[in-house]
Amino acid sequence: MPSVNVRLFAGLREMIGARDIVIDLPAGATAGDLRTKLGELYPLVLALLPSVVCAVDEEYVDASHLLRDGDDVALIPPVSGGS
């Protein structure tokens, strides 16, 4: 069972109340599965998940990217700002 280190940014970090969490996933889990699991664990973030960008080991990946034990995953929600 892969265990991935998840770094949360912006609104996700504020909603969950942590900068880093560890999530255990079944073998063969993808980045999309990680989003689903995050929504199950923290329903408050469900509205943000469809627009979250995922990076694994500092490279952007799509939802079908296969995760491995020990991967460092960054979940980055859309950020607004400026004028």
Side-chain angles (χ1 to χ4, degrees):
M1 176 179 299
S3 179
V4 295
N5 306 305
V6 182
R7 175 153 294 176
L8 305 166
F9 290 89
L12 285 176
R13 179 174 57 207
E14 293 168 14
M15 290 176 163
I16 292 175
R19 180 182 189 120
D20 299 290
I21 58 175
V22 175
I23 295 183
D24 294 323
L25 298 165
T30 64
D33 296 329
L34 173 61
R35 284 186 204 173
T36 300
K37 182 69 172 184
L38 189 69
E40 291 170 0
L41 294 171
Y42 304 96
L44 183 62
V45 304
L46 283 170
L48 284 180
L49 292 180
S51 57
V52 165
V53 175
C54 182
V56 176
D57 297 326
E58 299 183 14
E59 291 195 29
Y60 290 112
V61 299
D62 64 22
S64 66
H65 180 84
L66 189 63
L67 296 172
R68 297 179 316 230
D69 188 49
D71 275 347
D72 289 313
V73 181
L75 296 178
I76 308 160
V79 180
S80 63
S83 52

